[in-house]
């Protein structure tokens, strides 16, 4: 709620008024409204003009102070109902931070800097809306809107972070401290939250009874009040609470709290009145019963006296208009509250009314103003709500709000779109009725287009073909998107998904789908087979969450199996993939369907997820053996399945039982945990534990979660412990032995990369994030070590290579190397089996970038680079190479291409192709630069150009040429030369077209026709429409004289002789017709009564009064114009008065 500051009527109150013209009709009403029943109405009619009113009657003096006080104390009568204000669920609070309490006082940075950042953080954390403004006294006015709890949290944060902190102490009996703390300190925490202060209570062993409160001045007042209230409740004396509306608290407290102080002194009663910032209405009395009763009676008397002069009223206003009534940053409401600060105005969200509370007179005035505002808004405002799926809301808003802001500005409306978190489809449009309907129509059209364009289909494409569908630099996919006008989303590279999503219009999506499938079909031997399976079996074949059909697809090389849409009634199932895999999948699908038709049996068994890989076996060997022996299908859970322990067996009952028996036996063996050990030379231990034990993790994953423990580093033990299922332990031991054998026979092979800048070369060999090297190490089971970076590399001895913490050279002595040998920083070391190292070396050498040079004319270099390097970047992305163009000052024709040998030939061919295109463009530019000059008299130039350049533009477009007219301001340039630039053939055709126009212009004649100027306007018509029609019909040009011409009747007609004659005859006929109308009209004017405004009027005497100060005799003392008493000022600034109970906030 927005609340005006409470104040006290202490004498006559002056208000600012606007200047208005006082007419005779409104004089009596105006004067009678100033002081009711005190001024006689003086009606100035024709009979009373001889007896004008006196000056005092017309301009009565201001009433005395007593009159104002008497009027102020008139009973309102409406307060007896004691209507309590309605509490708003969403409220607006305004509070003020004085200049002296502001933490950030930089006036030049208002709305910026630390203060703005703090406000933004508070809004994001609490969900409340903050608006800041700077008052004239440089104080900070803050308006907080939102839910009550959000407003309270925001207010606490603002007080703590934007206001300076102070401290004060309050003394209460030591035995009352525990009641302030509350159970488990909850009461103290709640009190600190409410008052935004820090309250320090002395420890039980401390004899002090002083409680220290730290915070803002306002918060300290609140906390002090609450602490004293708690103490009073625990006091042995009597306690009584009196509910008094908040608005009356200042009257009870009196100026500087003197009134309440007197009552406390006289009665000996402690009276606690909540400070203005605390939203409580009860006043607490503590003291002896008799004195307490006296104090309560006196307070009630003051309250009843003041209550009679207050009232509560309400104004009906639709809730959607509330924010318009409040205005931007509360501007509209501030105008009312500034005029009537005692009026409290409250808005309740969702209710169609506004509550007003305050002095009767002020409430009535405020009510009239708000009712007028509501009436005005209802007449010129409207709203409508439309339903649009929330998933389209962000598209309606547009990038950075572009769409919705354009609609708001164009139709002058407000559009409220709910946030994504609400998941609401309702959009509300408010504003001018016509604009609301237009905005509604446009938004619904946008939404319908989005619905039409949101059709989506999924296309499964084998992962290996995704890069071909994308194309070099995304060329293929971009072309498909543009030509089909669809959005095509491919899965991420590291994703297991093979599905491509196409979104757009249905027809366009189908076209894009066909093109993508055709690319896949061209790239591989992709077959497509249709199988007829009864629709009733489809769900059982797919299985729970697609587990069954997914197992068939994985087993058959990842073929795609598509079932028809549920409910379509179709029996056709489509299988797509490599021909051999499709045939295999078809056979399995038909076999499974036959089983389902006869009698299918299903059993679920459970096994720990770490056993699954061991049960499946390497390459699926173990599980395939079980399937072949029993004929049952065994389905293991995928990573997406919630139940990772569940293994499903499907098939005929006897086959399923047999497969279940075999699997359970395997699982039982795995559950039989044994512990075994083996000997491993300590020099090999590091290989197993490096990279955070990656090798051991792989062994555990592959062999049923077996645990392998190596001795701690530093010990010379060679005993390795294995723990797990018996079969898994044996298999793991075998695998560890194989790895050790590989390490024993490992050889180190050196090869050298001779490059001037080793580090960039090595980086390109490694590939993005080392992907190329990682691929080679996986493919050939070798280790590759790149040299460390050296700041000052020098020729040195060949490094003693260490692999797995052991000397790789088998005790070789290091020898001095030849100074011409490769540097240490150029050496890459590959370790592994000899044949694998050789193969890895070849693969690595293939990754070494090669540089070739291509001769390209120097003058074409800038075109190859393109605007801001776009051309050369495109080529580098397309061919995956680096292209180096020499600096312009070198004037070199050689362009260097660096990259993989496989890509260089394509890059060179692409560059030479681009050179051919540029050379062809150069030749074309030379042909297009042919110039031809035509001599044409300058007087014909405007006709050749045409109206708004229409004629010359037509010639330029028709002949594809540029036509340049001479500059009129250039005296050195021939004014009769027109230059035509373009292809030679086109320039000649354009010249002929211009000369043809000139020939026609030379045959034209001009004739002057006398045409009565009174009919010119009718012949020209509205905006020249009639005269243009005549000129188009007769193919002539007609010029009328300008205003001030010597002969206003002379009209010039230009064109071919026969056309000019016909046009002159036509306009003379029009003149004769229109002139007759003009003569008739002038004749009628003679008999018509002159207009009322032309009649002579008697001079007005103006407003006359008797006994005015300026007509007083010289004996009377003239008023002193410098006296503020005789000439009081209503608009001048006066010194601010200090209110009795403190500064106005």
């Amino acid at each position: 709620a927005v609340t005006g500051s409470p104040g006290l009527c202490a004498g006559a109150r002056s208000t600012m008024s606007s200047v208005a013209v006082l007419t005779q009709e409104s004089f009596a009403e105006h004067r009678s409204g100033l002081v009711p029943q005190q001024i006689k109405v003086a009606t100035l009619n024709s009979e009373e003009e001889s007896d004008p009113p006196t000056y005092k009657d017309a301009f009565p003096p201001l009433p005395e102070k007593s009159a104002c006080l008497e009027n102020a104390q008139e009973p309102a009568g409406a307060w007896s109902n004691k209507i309590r204000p309605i509490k708003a669920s969403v409220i607006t609070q305004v509070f003020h931070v004085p200049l002296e309490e502001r933490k950030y006082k930089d006036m030049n940075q208002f709305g910026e800097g630390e203060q703005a950042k703090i406000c933004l953080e508070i809004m994001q954390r609490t969900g409340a809306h903050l608006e800041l403004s700077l008052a004239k006294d440089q104080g900070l006015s803050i308006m907080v809107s939102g839910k009550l709890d959000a407003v309270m949290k925001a207010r606490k944060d603002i007080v703590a972070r934007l206001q300076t902190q102070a401290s004060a102490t309050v003394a209460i009996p030591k035995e009352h401290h525990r009641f302030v703390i509350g159970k488990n300190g909850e009461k103290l925490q709640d009190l600190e939250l409410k008052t935004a202060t820090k309250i320090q209570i002395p420890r039980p062993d401390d004899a002090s009874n002083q409680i220290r409160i730290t915070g803002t001045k306002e918060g300290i007042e609140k906390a002090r009040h609450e602490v004293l209230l708690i103490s009073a409740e625990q006091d042995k004396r009597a306690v009584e609470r009196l509910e008094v509306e908040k608005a009356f608290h200042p009257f009870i407290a009196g100026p500087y709290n003197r009134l309440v102080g007197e009552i406390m002194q006289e009665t000996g009663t402690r009276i606690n009145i909540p400070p203005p910032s605390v939203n409580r209405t009860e006043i607490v009395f503590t003291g002896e019963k008799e004195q307490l009763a006296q104090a309560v009676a006196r307070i009630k008397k003051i309250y009843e006296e003041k209550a009679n002069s207050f009232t509560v009223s309400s104004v009906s206003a639709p809730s959607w208009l509330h924010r318009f009534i409040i205005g931007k940053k509360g501007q509209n409401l501030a105008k009312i509250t500034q005029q009537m600060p005692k009026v409290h105005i409250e808005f309740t969200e969702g209710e169609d009314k506004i509550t007003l509370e305050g002095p009767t007179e002020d409430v009535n005035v405020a009510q009239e103003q708000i009712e007028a505002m509501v009436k005005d808004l209802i007449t010129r405002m409207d709203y409508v709500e439309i339903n649009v799926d929330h998933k389209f809301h962000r598209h309606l808003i547009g990038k950075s709000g572009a769409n919705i802001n354009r609609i708001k500005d164009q139709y002058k409306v407000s559009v409220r779109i709910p946030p994504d978190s609400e998941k609401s489809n309702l959009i509300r449009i408010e504003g001018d009725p016509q604009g609301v309907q237009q905005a509604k129509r446009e938004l619904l059209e946008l939404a319908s287009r989005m619905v039409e364009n949101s059709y989506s289909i999924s296309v499964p494409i084998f992962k290996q073909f995704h890069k071909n569908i994308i194309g070099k630099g995304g060329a293929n996919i971009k072309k498909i998107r543009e030509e089909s006008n669809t959005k095509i989303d491919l899965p991420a590279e590291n994703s297991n998904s093979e599905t491509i999503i196409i979104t757009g219009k249905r027809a366009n999506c189908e076209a894009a789908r066909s093109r993508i499938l055709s690319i896949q079909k061209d790239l591989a031997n992709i077959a497509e087979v249709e199988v007829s399976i009864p629709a009733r079996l489809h769900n059982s074949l797919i299985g729970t969450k697609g587990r069954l059909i997914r197992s068939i697809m994985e087993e058959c090389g990842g073929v795609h199996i598509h079932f028809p849409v549920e409910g379509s009634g179709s029996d056709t199932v489509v299988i797509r993939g490599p021909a051999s895999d499709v045939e295999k999948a078809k056979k399995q699908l038909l076999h499974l369907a036959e089983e389902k038709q006869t009698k299918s049996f299903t059993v679920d068994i459970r096994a720990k997820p770490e056993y699954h890989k061991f049960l499946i076996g390497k390459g699926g060997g173990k599980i395939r053996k079980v399937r072949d022996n029993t004929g049952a299908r065994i389905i293991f859970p995928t990573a997406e399945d919630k139940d990772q322990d569940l293994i499903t067996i499907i098939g005929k009952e006897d086959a399923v039982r047999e497969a279940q028996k075999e699997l359970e036996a395997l699982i039982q063996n795995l559950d039989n945990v044994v512990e075994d050990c083996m000997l491993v030379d300590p020099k090999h231990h590091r290989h197993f534990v490096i990279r955070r034990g990656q090798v051991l993790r792989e062994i555990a994953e592959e062999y049923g979660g077996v645990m392998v423990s190596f001795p701690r580093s530093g010990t010379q033990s060679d005993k390795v412990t294995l723990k797990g299922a018996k079969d898994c332990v044996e298999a793991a031991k075998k695998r560890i032995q194989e790895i050790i054998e590989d390490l024993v026979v490992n050889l180190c092979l050196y090869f050298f990369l001779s490059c001037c800048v080793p580090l960039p070369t090595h980086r390109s060999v490694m590939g993005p994030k080392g992907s190329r090297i990682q691929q080679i190490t996986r493919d050939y089971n070798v280790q590759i070590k790149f040299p460390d970076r050296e700041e000052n590399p020098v020729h040195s001895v060949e490094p003693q290579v260490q692999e797995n913490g052991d000397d790789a050279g088998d005790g070789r002595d290091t020898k001095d190397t030849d100074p011409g040998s490769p540097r240490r920083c150029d050496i890459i070391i590959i370790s592994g089996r000899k044949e694998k190292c050789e193969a890895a070396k070849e693969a690595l050498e293939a990754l070494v970038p090669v540089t070739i040079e291509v001769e390209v004319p120097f003058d074409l270099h800038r075109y190859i680079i393109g605007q801001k390097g776009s051309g050369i970047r495109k080529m580098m992305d397309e061919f995956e190479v680096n292209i180096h163009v020499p600096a312009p000052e070198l004037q070199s024709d050689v362009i260097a291409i660096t990259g993989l040998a496989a890509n260089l030939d394509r890059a060179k061919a692409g560059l030479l192709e681009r050179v051919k295109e540029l050379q062809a463009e150069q030749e074309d530019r030379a042909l297009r630069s042919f110039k031809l000059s035509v001599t044409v008299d300058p007087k014909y130039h405007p006709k050749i150009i045409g109206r708004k350049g229409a004629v010359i533009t037509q010639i330029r477009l028709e002949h594809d040429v540029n036509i340049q007219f001479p500059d009129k301001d250039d005296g050195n340039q021939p004014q009769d030369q027109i230059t035509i630039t373009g292809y030679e053939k086109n320039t000649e055709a354009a010249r002929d077209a211009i000369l043809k126009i000139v020939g026609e212009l030379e045959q034209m004649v001009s004739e002057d026709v006398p045409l009565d100027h009174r009919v010119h306007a009718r012949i020209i018509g509205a905006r020249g429409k009639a005269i243009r029609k005549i000129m188009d019909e007769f193919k002539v040009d007609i010029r009328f004289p300008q205003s001030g011409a010597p002969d206003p009747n002379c009209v010039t007609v230009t064109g071919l002789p026969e056309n000019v004659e016909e046009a002159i005859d036509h306009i003379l006929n029009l003149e004769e017709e229109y002139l007759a109308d003009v003569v008739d009209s002038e004749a009628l004017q003679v008999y018509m009564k002159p207009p009322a405004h032309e009649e002579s009027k008697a001079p007005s005497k103006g407003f006359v009064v008797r006994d005015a100060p300026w007509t007083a005799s010289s004996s009377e003392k003239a008023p002193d114009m410098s006296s503020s008493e005789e000439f009081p000022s209503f608009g001048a600034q006066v010194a601010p008065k200090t209110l009795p109970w403190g500064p106005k906030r």
Side-chain angles (χ1 to χ4, degrees), residues 47-58:
E47 290 83 2
E48 293 175 337
E49 284 182 358
S50 59
D51 188 20
T54 64
Y55 179 79
K56 287 188 177 178
D57 287 342

Side-chain angles (χ1 to χ4, degrees), residues 143-287:
M143 185 165 78
V144 188
S145 304
K147 299 286 185 183
L148 180 61
D149 57 343
V151 170
M152 294 304 293
K153 287 178 185 175
R155 188 173 180 280
K156 177 192 171 187
D157 285 356
I158 290 166
V159 165
R161 300 180 71 179
L162 297 184
Q163 274 188 268
T164 53
Q165 305 289 297
S167 65
T169 57
V170 58
I172 63 169
K174 186 77 175 174
E175 59 270 17
H176 293 174
H177 287 193
R178 63 191 183 92
F179 298 103
V180 176
I181 297 170
K183 188 178 180 181
N184 298 325
E186 290 176 0
K187 195 158 192 173
L188 182 63
Q189 290 172 7
D190 188 47
L191 189 57
E192 287 180 339
L193 179 65
K194 283 182 181 176
T195 60
T197 57
K198 176 68 178 173
I199 302 172
Q200 294 176 328
I201 297 174
R203 296 176 63 82
D205 53 2
D206 190 346
S208 172
N209 64 350
Q210 298 285 336
I211 294 176
R212 177 170 290 279
I213 306 169
T214 306
T216 62
K217 184 179 176 182
E218 184 179 275
I220 290 170
E221 282 182 12
K222 292 183 192 176
R224 185 177 178 279
H225 167 75
E226 293 291 338
V227 169
L228 290 174
L229 204 60
I230 293 167
S231 178
E233 286 177 357
Q234 302 306 323
D235 205 314
K236 293 179 180 179
R237 294 178 295 172
V239 176
E240 186 170 339
R241 288 178 174 80
L242 180 64
E243 288 283 342
V244 177
E245 278 79 355
K246 192 79 178 170
F248 298 105
H249 288 192
F251 301 104
I252 292 168
Y256 298 108
N257 291 322
R258 286 177 191 157
L259 186 55
V260 74
E262 289 173 9
I263 296 172
M264 285 195 290
Q265 192 173 359
E266 291 172 11
T267 62
T269 304
R270 186 196 295 174
I271 303 173
N272 272 331
I273 300 175
S277 54
V278 175
N279 192 23
R280 282 193 180 179
T281 57
E282 64 177 14
I283 298 174
V284 181
F285 300 81
T286 310

Side-chain angles (χ1 to χ4, degrees), residues 666-890:
L666 286 171
I667 293 166
Q668 191 175 359
N669 287 339
L670 292 173
D671 284 334
N672 182 19
V673 176
V674 297
E675 188 171 324
D676 200 354
C677 62
M678 63 183 295
L679 301 179
V680 176
D681 195 322
K683 68 180 180 181
H684 300 310
H685 289 190
R686 184 172 177 272
H687 175 79
F688 291 92
V689 297
I690 58 171
R691 296 193 297 276
R692 298 181 182 178
Q694 183 179 342
V695 176
L696 295 180
R697 284 202 305 274
E698 289 172 358
I699 291 171
E701 189 178 338
E702 188 174 351
Y703 299 103
V706 66
M707 292 173 60
V708 184
S709 300
F710 278 78
R712 294 178 63 182
S713 60
T715 62
Q716 292 302 312
S717 173
D718 58 357
K719 185 178 178 181
V720 176
T721 305
L722 295 90
K723 187 177 181 180
K726 187 176 180 181
D727 293 346
C728 294
V729 167
E730 291 300 326
K733 281 173 68 175
K734 188 178 177 183
R735 175 62 185 145
I736 291 171
Q737 197 60 45
E738 287 175 2
I739 293 171
I740 292 168
E741 287 174 8
D742 287 344
L743 292 173
V744 169
V745 299
N746 269 359
L747 297 174
C748 286
L749 176 68
Y750 298 85
F751 79 99
F752 311 106
L753 296 179
S754 299
C755 48
C756 298
V757 188
L759 189 59
T761 307
H762 289 184
R763 188 181 294 120
S764 64
V765 169
M766 289 178 185
K769 297 181 181 178
S771 58
R772 292 174 179 170
I773 293 300
Q774 289 168 11
Q775 187 63 41
I776 291 174
T777 56
R778 283 196 298 269
D779 291 347
Y780 300 102
N781 194 22
V782 295
Q783 292 186 3
I784 301 174
K785 187 177 186 309
F786 280 77
D788 296 330
R789 184 190 301 185
E790 294 184 5
E791 293 185 4
N792 297 307
V794 295
H795 292 293
S796 62
V797 298
E798 188 177 296
Q800 186 71 20
V801 181
Q802 289 193 347
E803 184 65 38
N804 300 326
D806 202 25
D807 287 348
D810 297 326
R812 289 182 305 175
D813 296 325
T814 47
K815 299 177 181 180
D816 294 337
T817 56
D818 187 353
S821 66
R823 297 172 301 171
R824 179 180 296 178
C825 63
D826 294 343
I827 299 172
I828 299 175
I829 302 170
I830 307 173
S831 61
R833 289 181 181 272
K834 185 175 181 179
E835 62 277 7
K836 296 287 181 73
C837 287
E838 292 288 352
K841 177 187 172 184
E842 290 178 8
L844 202 59
E845 285 175 336
L847 296 177
V848 177
V850 182
T851 301
I852 60 170
E853 294 180 346
V854 182
E855 290 277 346
V856 176
F858 172 73
D859 58 333
L860 297 180
H861 286 192
R862 61 194 182 99
Y863 301 110
I864 287 169
I865 293 170
Q867 189 175 16
K868 295 182 179 179
S870 59
I872 202 162
R873 272 201 306 274
K874 184 181 177 184
M875 291 178 70
M876 289 194 292
D877 292 342
E878 185 178 350
F879 300 115
E880 297 179 8
V881 294
N882 181 46
I883 302 175
H884 176 69
V885 180
E889 56 268 16
L890 297 178

Side-chain angles (χ1 to χ4, degrees), residues 505-517:
K505 291 185 178 178
R506 183 168 189 147
N508 295 348
C509 289
E510 294 292 347
R513 177 176 176 271
S514 301
R515 291 190 60 174
I516 289 172
L517 288 173

Side-chain angles (χ1 to χ4, degrees), residues 66 82 287 342 429 503 646 671 698 736 843 919 987 1002 1077:
S66 59
K82 295 187 179 179
K342 298 177 189 175
I429 310 169
T503 309
L646 196 68
D671 284 334
E698 289 172 358
I736 291 171
Q919 287 173 341
T987 55
E1002 287 175 343
D1077 295 341

Side-chain angles (χ1 to χ4, degrees), residues 914-975:
R914 178 64 179 150
V915 169
K916 285 182 184 178
E917 290 175 8
L918 292 171
Q919 287 173 341
E921 288 175 9
Q922 275 188 330
E923 292 174 6
D924 186 61
R925 274 197 297 274
L927 293 173
R928 287 179 67 89
S929 61
F930 180 79
K931 289 189 177 181
L932 184 66
S933 295
V934 184
T935 304
V936 177
D937 195 318
K939 69 179 181 182
Y940 297 133
H941 288 188
K943 293 291 182 183
I944 294 169
I945 293 169
R947 191 164 181 263
K948 295 183 179 179
V951 177
I952 201 67
T953 301
Q954 180 65 27
I955 295 171
R956 283 173 178 154
L957 294 173
E958 189 176 337
H959 300 288
D960 190 21
V961 293
N962 182 35
I963 303 173
Q964 190 71 34
F965 284 82
D967 188 356
K968 292 180 182 179
D969 299 329
D970 190 355
N972 299 325
Q973 189 177 357
Q975 294 297 304

